[in-house]
C-alpha cells in the first residue's frame, strides 16, 4: 500500500477583546510534530486565519502546533483608578 500525497488547508480563529481586529494584524506559524515550520498565515478583519495549502505525504495521524508570532505592537494601556 502506498499512500498518495494529500493536500491540506487549515484555518483557525483569532479573537480579540476590547477592539476590532485589522486585516493582517497578527501573524501565525504552523509547525509539525518535529518542530518544522509547515506554513505561515495571518488573520483577516473577521479573525479568520488561513494557512496556505500544503502537502502531507506520510501515512498516519498528524499533529500540528500553531504559534502566534510576536509583533512589535505599540499598544497603549490606560489604568483608571
Amino acid at each position: 500500500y502506498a499512500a498518495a500525497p494529500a493536500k491540506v488547508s487549515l484555518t483557525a480563529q483569532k479573537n480579540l477583546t476590547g477592539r476590532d481586529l485589522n486585516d493582517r494584524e497578527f501573524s501565525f506559524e504552523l509547525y509539525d510534530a518535529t518542530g518544522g515550520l509547515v506554513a505561515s498565515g495571518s488573520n483577516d478583519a473577521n479573525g479568520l486565519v488561513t494557512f496556505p495549502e500544503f502537502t502531507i505525504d506520510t501515512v498516519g495521524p498528524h499533529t500540528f502546533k500553531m504559534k502566534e508570532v510576536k509583533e512589535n505592537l505599540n499598544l497603549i494601556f490606560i489604568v483608571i483608578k
Side-chain angles (χ1 to χ4, degrees):
Y1 171 74
K7 299 221 180 250
V8 178
S9 180
L10 298 177
T11 61
Q13 181 68 38
K14 168 67 177 178
N15 296 312
L16 185 64
T17 304
R19 66 174 177 81
D20 292 336
L21 283 166
N22 296 314
D23 189 42
R24 298 179 176 263
E25 182 174 4
F26 295 94
S27 299
F28 300 87
E29 295 176 335
L30 189 67
Y31 293 89
D32 62 20
T34 65
L37 181 63
V38 175
S40 297
S42 59
N43 67 286
D44 66 12
N46 295 315
L48 182 66
V49 179
T50 303
F51 292 100
E53 187 175 82
F54 59 95
T55 302
I56 294 176
D57 56 5
T58 58
V59 177
H62 294 81
T63 302
F64 299 94
K65 179 187 273 187
M66 184 180 86
K67 292 183 182 180
E68 186 171 336
V69 178
K70 297 281 186 184
E71 301 288 339
N72 188 12
L73 297 176
N74 294 320
L75 299 178
I76 299 172
F77 293 92
I78 301 172
V79 178
I80 301 173
K81 294 183 180 183

